[in-house]
């Protein structure tokens, strides 16, 4: 048994050592809390050495910080010792003057009348200190030392009363008891709110009196090691609960849910549902405010360990609308219910969104392909005009080439018309032509209308059109491949008539008409 524990540690429990060596799941020890649920800090100061004398320099605060049993003991002992000491002083004066031996002599004038022994001296002191004054025991004028002691007794009695009664009053009026009527939820939850992963817990006020200027803060207590190798036990880190937006200033009339957004600045940025099981941390919540009835500052504290943080939960609502008022059901104050929550951390979620999708295609490749294929739009009559110009010089070509050129011209016209009917995006009519060309096309009939049918192809994303007036007269070369047709814009030929931009054949036709 001892060997197994030395090998596997104290966290493992042996189930059966006689048969197969099987071990149960590791039992997680109850970890030591830095702050209890009631707000008490589990910190003890030891080995102070000579620094203990500092407590006596602030004796009043030391007495107030003591527990009630020690305060009551000190209160009782202080008055008892003071009374006994002052009673012994009065008895000593009576003994030195001989009043004890002449107590019943009517002709003798004592320092204090009717003081014969220590009990009578004690009763005289109590009557004087409490200002009862029964009238049976009193100081005479023939005792100056008794008068001085009486003055000292009055001063010391006032000091002791002010110190002890003031200490007890501050002890009773401490706002720590007011903090017991401020509630915190037993567990904290992690779920989504407004599309963001948040750490949330709930606070409430059981009294009708308000907490003035209530403010809440959160500290993350977690041990860590710096990049330089320094180990920081119980390192404190601030958790943002709305300091920049003012959400940490609370109007604590009804239970409120405090929210910490988990973002790249949060220490829980890489916390997931699986890593939460292996983490060790403690969240300390501090609620401060001014008690409305006394004007004293009150502070309430609690803490949440990693076992008390529920992933994928949300608090049940506790507010309901009644007739004329709102009702808070504190029976559901600590209740939660499960909600759908992503199990991965915010860091993993952002890294997943940053990766490019395999289904998306880059748009610049499509733009390049469209840019590489720059098509121009030609009209059919432009082709015919060019061929007619070639026909004027066709006598200079062999007959075989002329037949090939005439047959190729018909095929090219059919292909252009077929492409224009399939891919055209914008229809061009004779309204785009100059006025004389429109009259010419209307006079020629359907044959000329077919020749003026335009073809519009896309160049990138913008369609381009050209009319017959936008083309130069092509230069003929005795080659089998058609020569490229240069593009001429009428906007560049400023100061010229539109008829000057037409080919020679069209100009002759206009002149004949």
């Amino acid at each position: 048994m001892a060997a197994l524990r030395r090998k596997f540690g104290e966290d493992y429990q042996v189930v059966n050592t006689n048969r197969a060596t099987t071990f149960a799941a590791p039992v997680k020890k109850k970890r030591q809390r830095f702050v209890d649920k009631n707000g008490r800090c589990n910190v003890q100061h030891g080995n102070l050495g000579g620094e203990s004398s500092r407590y006596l320099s602030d004796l009043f605060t030391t007495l107030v910080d003591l527990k009630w049993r020690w305060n009551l003991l000190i209160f009782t002992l202080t008055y008892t010792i003071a009374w006994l000491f002052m009673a012994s002083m009065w008895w000593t004066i009576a003994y030195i003057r001989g009043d004890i031996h002449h107590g019943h002599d009517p002709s003798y004038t004592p320092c204090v009348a009717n003081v014969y022994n220590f009990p009578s001296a004690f009763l005289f002191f109590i009557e004087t200190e409490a200002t009862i004054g029964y009238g049976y025991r009193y100081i005479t004028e023939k005792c100056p030392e008794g008068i001085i002691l009486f003055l000292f007794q009055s001063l010391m009695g006032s000091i002791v009363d002010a110190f002890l009664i003031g200490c007890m009053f501050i002890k009773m009026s401490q706002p720590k008891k007011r903090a017991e009527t401020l509630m915190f939820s037993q567990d904290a939850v992690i779920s989504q709110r407004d599309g963001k992963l948040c750490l949330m817990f709930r606070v409430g006020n059981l009294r009708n009196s308000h907490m003035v200027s209530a403010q809440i803060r959160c500290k993350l207590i977690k041990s860590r090691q710096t990049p330089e190798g320094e180990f920081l036990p119980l390192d404190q880190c601030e958790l943002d609960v709305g300091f920049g937006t003012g959400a940490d200033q609370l109007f604590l009339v009804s239970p409120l849910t405090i929210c910490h957004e988990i973002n790249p600045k949060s220490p829980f940025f890489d916390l997931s549902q699986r890593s939460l099981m292996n983490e060790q941390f403690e969240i300390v919540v501090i609620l401060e405010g001014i008690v409305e009835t006394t004007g004293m500052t009150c502070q309430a504290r609690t803490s949440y360990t990693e076992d008390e943080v529920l992933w994928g939960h949300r608090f049940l609502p506790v507010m309901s609308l009644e007739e004329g008022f709102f009702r808070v059901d504190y029976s559901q104050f600590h209740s939660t219910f499960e909600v759908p929550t992503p199990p991965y951390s915010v860091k993993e979620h952002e890294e997943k969104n940053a990766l490019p999708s395999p289904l998306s295609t880059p748009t610049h490749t499509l733009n390049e392909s469209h840019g590489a294929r720059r098509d121009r739009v030609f009209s059919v009559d432009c082709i015919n005009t060019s061929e007619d110009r070639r026909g004027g010089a066709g006598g200079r070509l062999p007959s075989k080439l002329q037949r090939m050129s005439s047959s190729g011209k018909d095929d090219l016209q059919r292909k252009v018309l077929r492409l224009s009917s399939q891919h055209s995006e914008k229809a061009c009519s004779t309204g785009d032509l100059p006025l004389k060309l429109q009259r010419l096309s209307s006079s020629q009939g359907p044959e000329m209308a077919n020749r003026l049918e335009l073809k519009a192809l896309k160049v990138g994303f913008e369609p381009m059109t050209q009319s017959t007036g936008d083309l130069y007269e092509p230069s003929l070369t005795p080659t089998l491949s058609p020569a490229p047709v240069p593009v001429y814009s009428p906007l560049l030929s400023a100061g010229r008539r539109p008829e000057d931009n037409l080919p020679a054949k069209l100009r002759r036709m206009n002149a004949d008409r």
Side-chain angles (χ1 to χ4, degrees):
M1 179 74 68
L4 291 174
R5 287 184 176 178
R6 284 195 301 268
K7 182 176 180 181
F8 295 99
E10 296 292 338
D11 292 343
Y12 289 86
Q13 293 183 353
V14 179
V15 177
N16 188 359
T17 56
N18 296 328
R19 294 176 295 179
T21 306
T22 58
F23 298 93
V27 178
K28 194 172 184 179
K29 290 183 179 180
K30 185 179 180 181
R31 61 187 301 269
Q32 183 64 42
R33 306 179 73 102
F34 187 69
V35 177
D36 287 337
K37 298 295 288 185
N38 57 3
R40 186 178 65 87
C41 298
N42 294 322
V43 178
Q44 294 184 0
H45 304 282
N47 298 327
L48 295 177
E51 303 297 332
S52 301
S53 59
R54 295 177 179 267
Y55 290 102
L56 298 178
S57 62
D58 190 10
L59 184 59
F60 184 81
T61 306
T62 303
L63 293 176
V64 173
D65 289 341
L66 291 176
K67 295 183 178 181
W68 270 106
R69 53 179 177 267
W70 298 110
N71 273 277
L72 294 176
L73 178 61
I74 292 174
F75 185 85
T76 305
L77 289 177
T78 301
Y79 274 107
T80 303
I81 293 173
W83 293 343
L84 291 176
F85 175 75
M86 295 306 298
S88 62
M89 292 293 293
W90 287 110
W91 180 83
T92 302
I93 292 175
Y95 180 79
I96 293 174
R97 289 176 55 88
D99 296 344
I100 297 177
H101 301 288
H102 302 84
H104 298 283
D105 189 359
S107 60
Y108 181 77
T109 304
C111 179
V112 179
N114 300 319
V115 174
Y116 312 111
N117 47 25
F118 183 80
S120 60
F122 185 79
L123 289 174
F124 170 73
F125 167 76
I126 294 298
E127 292 175 9
T128 305
E129 180 66 23
T131 64
I132 297 174
Y134 291 113
Y136 184 71
R137 299 177 179 86
Y138 55 90
I139 300 175
T140 62
E141 68 278 2
K142 294 183 178 181
C143 183
E145 61 272 18
I147 297 174
I148 296 174
L149 183 60
F150 177 75
L151 296 176
F152 177 77
Q153 172 187 332
S154 300
L155 292 175
M156 290 301 297
S158 300
I159 293 175
V160 172
D161 289 344
F163 189 82
L164 292 180
I165 294 176
C167 180
M168 296 298 292
F169 175 77
I170 295 298
K171 184 74 174 177
M172 288 185 295
S173 62
Q174 269 188 325
K176 290 183 179 180
K177 297 301 178 182
R178 178 64 177 90
E180 293 183 359
T181 55
L182 298 175
M183 291 182 61
F184 296 92
S185 59
Q186 293 291 337
D187 300 314
V189 299
I190 294 180
S191 60
Q192 285 188 332
R193 172 177 283 190
D194 297 330
K196 300 176 182 178
L197 196 64
C198 300
L199 170 70
M200 293 173 286
F201 56 91
R202 179 180 279 175
V203 296
N205 183 15
L206 298 179
R207 290 188 179 272
N208 292 328
S209 59
H210 301 168
M211 291 290 295
V212 182
S213 301
Q215 183 179 11
I216 195 164
R217 295 183 292 117
C218 291
K219 294 284 186 178
L220 176 64
I221 310 297
K222 183 179 180 180
S223 301
R224 69 182 183 91
Q225 189 172 5
T226 63
E228 294 80 12
E230 181 184 4
F231 180 72
L232 301 177
L234 302 178
D235 183 50
Q236 299 185 13
C237 178
E238 188 77 18
L239 292 181
D240 185 15
V241 288
F243 178 77
T245 60
D248 59 334
Q249 305 291 333
L250 306 181
F251 182 56
L252 198 58
V253 178
S254 61
L256 300 176
T257 301
I258 310 302
C259 179
H260 164 68
E261 179 184 344
I262 301 178
N263 50 28
K265 297 182 180 179
S266 172
F268 298 132
F269 181 56
D270 55 351
L271 182 67
S272 63
Q273 185 176 7
R274 176 174 297 180
S275 62
L276 180 61
M277 303 177 183
N278 303 323
E279 289 286 341
Q280 285 190 358
F281 60 85
E282 186 172 351
I283 303 172
V284 179
V285 182
I286 304 171
L287 176 62
E288 293 179 341
I290 300 175
V291 182
E292 187 180 27
T293 54
T294 62
M296 303 181 69
T297 303
C298 172
Q299 185 181 94
R301 297 181 297 267
T302 190
S303 68
Y304 300 98
T305 59
E306 68 278 358
D307 298 332
E308 297 169 345
V309 177
L310 306 179
W311 189 282
H313 283 246
R314 187 179 298 166
F315 290 105
L316 284 174
V318 295
M319 293 287 295
S320 61
L321 178 60
E322 302 292 339
E323 185 176 357
F325 62 92
F326 293 93
R327 182 181 181 84
V328 180
D329 184 11
Y330 278 97
S331 62
Q332 304 292 333
F333 185 81
H334 305 285
S335 302
T336 62
F337 63 97
E338 294 187 5
V339 292
T341 305
Y344 43 83
S345 63
V346 179
K347 181 179 180 180
E348 296 173 350
H349 178 68
E350 292 187 356
E351 292 177 351
K352 182 179 178 181
N353 292 340
L355 295 176
S357 176
L359 299 179
S360 62
T361 57
T363 57
H364 67 277
T365 57
L366 296 177
N367 295 334
E368 291 177 357
S369 63
H370 285 291
R373 188 194 57 184
R374 301 185 55 86
D375 299 329
R376 297 181 181 273
V377 180
F378 295 94
S379 59
V380 181
D381 59 340
C382 175
I383 300 175
N384 295 332
T385 306
S386 302
E387 294 299 329
D388 291 341
R389 297 293 296 175
R390 291 191 185 98
R396 287 177 288 181
L397 296 178
S399 58
K400 186 176 183 179
L401 289 179
Q402 292 179 9
R403 288 194 303 270
M404 293 173 62
S405 176
S406 61
S407 61
K409 181 183 67 175
D410 298 336
D411 296 338
L412 181 59
Q413 291 181 5
R414 285 194 296 270
K415 290 180 181 180
V416 170
L417 291 177
R418 190 183 305 111
L419 290 175
S420 63
S421 62
Q422 294 177 358
H423 302 285
S424 61
E425 290 184 357
K426 290 186 177 181
C428 298
S429 63
T430 57
D432 299 331
L433 300 176
L435 181 61
K436 290 187 176 183
L437 283 181
Q438 295 180 18
R439 292 196 300 268
L440 178 62
S441 61
S442 60
S443 62
Q444 294 297 327
E447 181 181 358
M448 183 59 68
N450 293 333
R451 294 175 59 187
L452 293 178
E453 184 177 356
L454 304 180
K455 167 178 170 294
L457 298 178
K458 292 176 63 179
V459 180
F461 291 100
E462 300 178 357
M464 299 178 61
T465 59
Q466 292 181 350
S467 63
T468 56
D470 297 338
L471 302 177
Y472 273 124
E473 181 180 358
S475 59
L476 296 177
T477 56
T479 57
L480 295 178
S481 60
V485 180
V487 179
Y488 176 77
S489 176
L491 297 178
L492 299 178
S493 59
R496 299 181 61 183
R497 294 179 305 170
E499 291 82 2
D500 298 337
N501 299 330
L502 298 176
K505 184 177 180 179
L506 294 179
R507 288 200 300 269
R508 288 194 301 270
M509 294 173 65
N510 288 336
D512 295 340
R513 292 179 62 85

